[in-house]
Every structure is written in C-alpha cells, then in structure tokens.
DNA sequence: TATTGTTATACTCTATAACTATA
DNA sequence: TATAGTTATAGAGTATAACAATA
C-alpha cells in the first residue's frame, strides 16, 4: 500500500479536480471515523425535531432498561459526569419526559423514571433511530447487514470498547491520563 | 427487534450488571458511530507524540498531494474554515514542517509546501496511521478487510459523503442549515 | 471594489470544584 | 465525616466578522 501516490509520473504539477486523499479513503480507520461522524450527525439532526440530543436518547434508554435508578448510577453506567447528568435530566424533566422522586429511605437520593410522555417520546425516537439505520444500510440485505455488524463488533472489541457505551468525543487533551503531578486545572477559589 | 427488553418479567427491580443497551449495540448506526469515535481518538492519541493532530495530518496529506496550493484552496478542499487553516499552518510552520511562499505574481497569495522535515514527519505519521489500521483490523484477513471497506464506502455513499473528506464533528446546531431569516450569530461591532 | 490571508471575539460545550442537604 | 445532587466557573475549541495588504 505504500506506493500508490500518483506523484511519481515525473514532475507535472497536475492540479487534481478534488483532493487526492483516495488512499486513506481506502482504509477501515478513515472510513469508520468519517462514516461514524456523519451517522452521528444525521441522527442528531433527525432527533432535533423531538427536542432531544443523542445523549438524552441514551439516558432515556438507560432509564427504560432499569427504572428508578439513582442519578449517580445512571451517570456511571453511561460514563457521563454527574454534573452533566443533572443538565440532561433537567432538560428531560422540563419537557415532562422524566420525573425525579425522592427516595423515602434516603432523602439525598433522587430516583429517576420515565413518564408516560417519556415512554411515548422514546418510542418515536427509536423509530427515528431505525430510520437512520435503514438510510445508512440502504442496499444491504439482512445477511450483509448482520455480517457488517459482526465485523464492527469485532473492531469494537479490538479497541476495548464496552458494549453499548458510546464514549462520545472523549476528553480533548487525553482524558485518560491520571495527571500524576501536573495539570493545575483550576486553582481553588480564595 | 422491538421486543427484547427484559422488563416484562413481572415487576422485579433486577439491577443489571451493566447497562442493558445491547439492542442498539446491534445496529450499524450505533456501532459505526461508537467505533468511529474511538478510532478517531486512538489515532489522535497516537499522533500526539509527533505534535500533530488529525487535522494537521489531513492538511499535510493534501499539500503532499498537490504542492504549492493556495491556503484558500486547501481550506476549501478540506472543508475547513480559512481562519482555522491559518492556525493549523501556523502550527506546522512553527515546527518547520511546511513553508509559506509569497506568490511572485500576486503578493496576496501564499503558496504552501512541505519541507523536507515535513515529508519525513508525514511518513512517520502514515506509519502511525497504519498502526491504528492494523490494530482495529486485528483478526481480519485481507479479503474480509476489503469487504468491510467496500461496505463502509457504500454507507458513506448512502450518506452523501465526499470521498476522502472527513467532516469532523460538524456544527453544533445544525451547520448545514442555511438559516433563512434567523440566527443572529454575532452582532456587528459598534 | 474585490480578494487573500490574518486577527479578534463571541459562542458553545463540558469538566472540575465548590456548595447544599442529608446521612 | 461522607455521600447525592446541584451550581458555578474556567478552559478548550471554533466559527464569524472585522481588518490589513494587495490587486
């Protein structure tokens, strides 16, 4: 694969009609990243008509899967910081899609659940997700689609990804680093 | 696919060990988005040791493909705003990887080209990209990999993507919208 | 006046730490 | 003192508009 650049034809300037990045357009890494970003954006745009973002969708699905969860557990499972979870749930609660109930045994805890409207909205969102799925899979038969899913699952496994957890964009400057001694981040207020 | 939620087993709380999002872990859309984001981050982290980001890599590849391009043409081809291109080229120029030359016939124009160091660095970066490729493709034979690439190219085509152009994350609030009457964006300075 | 490249700024997003209330 | 949730703020990233130089 190292030789394929058309620059070896002498020294002709030869301005290409478009960018000659075809070589990397022929790699799994580039394609999966390009297609993944475009798919995410398509879904985001389609979901916007429900006043939801993909993370709201993920939160609602997680609540549906296990009713009356703690906010903290929810945040932990989805790998979202607790303070972001507050904002996400505020958004959903303001639209009447989820409800926060005080735990009678421990009044620090809020148990979260979907309302009837939340269930209905989630059903519509699932239909939108299926619409995105059928758009991007246009031209595939069922067997091909299953094959593709299996290969993508293997790639996910090669990357050490947890099933069903979408890491989003991750931290900008290597969010995984434990920062042994540096990263002053934010000085404590005086 | 609609019925598979384990919530129909009565009313048992049944706290799941992990999040029960397995249903969407079995869709091309979710997987390609999840895997694409993780692949992009892996590549970004690997590239960081060269003091480069993926967009620098894309810019260098585009310059290599067509030497002595206008900054504007470069920005247009890669679908990056011109002001961002300035910052990217500043970064590369400060490290001696690219050089900006004044066009003798039109002194408004800067023609950009890779230095010798830039070529060398790009070669290393390509090797890093191939490392990411072989990591994510672990366990695939050549035929499977080609098959996967072909399917991903079809998905890209279904999404209307231009070959070789990575749209990144796109605009936060629907960057594709022409904004007929609204979006005050930024009021002109007084 | 139009165009190329540059600088400046405003906006969005999000993670961190302080804070409140409960235990 | 420790924990659940909340609020506030700092920082990064980036797109838009103004600007300077040249045509």
């Amino acid at each position: 694969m190292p030789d394929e650049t058309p620059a070896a034809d002498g020294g002709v300037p030869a301005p290409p009609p478009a960018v000659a990045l075809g070589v990397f357009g022929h790699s799994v890494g580039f394609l999966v990243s390009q297609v993944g970003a475009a798919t995410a954006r398509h879904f985001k745009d389609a979901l916007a008509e429900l006043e939801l973002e993909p993370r709201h969708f993920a939160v609602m699905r997680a609540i549906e899967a296990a009713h009356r969860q703690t906010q903290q557990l929810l945040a932990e499972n989805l790998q979202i910081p607790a303070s972001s979870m507050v904002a996400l749930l505020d958004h959903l609660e303001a639209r009447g899609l989820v409800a926060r109930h005080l735990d009678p045994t421990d009044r620090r805890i809020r148990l979260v659940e979907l309302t009837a409207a939340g269930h209905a909205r989630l059903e519509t969102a699932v239909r939108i997700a299926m619409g995105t799925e059928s758009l991007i899979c246009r031209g595939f038969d069922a067997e091909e689609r299953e094959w593709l899913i299996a290969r993508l699952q293997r790639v996910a496994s090669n990357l050490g990804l947890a099933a069903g957890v979408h890491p989003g964009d991750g931290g900008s400057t290597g969010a995984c680093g434990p920062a042994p001694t540096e990263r002053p981040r934010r000085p404590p207020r005086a």
Side-chain angles (χ1 to χ4, degrees), chain A residues 42-147:
Chain A
H42 180 92
F43 181 52
K44 180 183 179 178
D45 291 347
L47 211 54
E49 69 185 48
L50 300 185
E51 291 186 303
L52 295 177
E53 293 173 25
R55 283 197 310 178
H56 297 123
F57 179 70
V59 168
M60 292 175 82
R61 295 233 356 129
I63 297 172
E64 183 193 46
H67 249 287
R68 301 195 142 253
Q69 279 183 84
T70 297
Q71 289 189 202
Q72 208 171 39
L73 192 64
L74 209 49
E76 202 174 300
N77 284 339
L78 294 174
Q79 298 182 13
I80 292 172
S83 64
S84 299
M85 183 57 65
V86 172
L88 291 170
L89 290 174
D90 284 348
H91 180 97
L92 294 172
E93 193 178 40
R95 282 153 186 80
L97 305 176
V98 308
R100 290 191 249 224
H101 298 287
L102 280 177
D103 183 338
T105 68
D106 185 342
R107 292 165 42 110
R108 291 174 300 184
I109 290 175
R110 264 80 174 162
L111 297 172
V112 183
E113 66 180 11
L114 287 183
T115 63
H119 278 288
R121 187 76 62 94
L122 179 54
E123 215 171 298
T124 309
V126 167
R127 235 173 284 129
I128 285 178
M130 295 193 304
T132 296
E133 180 77 2
S134 65
L135 167 72
I136 67 177
C137 291
R138 185 161 298 160
F140 293 149
D141 59 30
E143 189 188 8
E144 267 179 321
R145 183 166 165 270
E146 287 302 324
W147 199 98

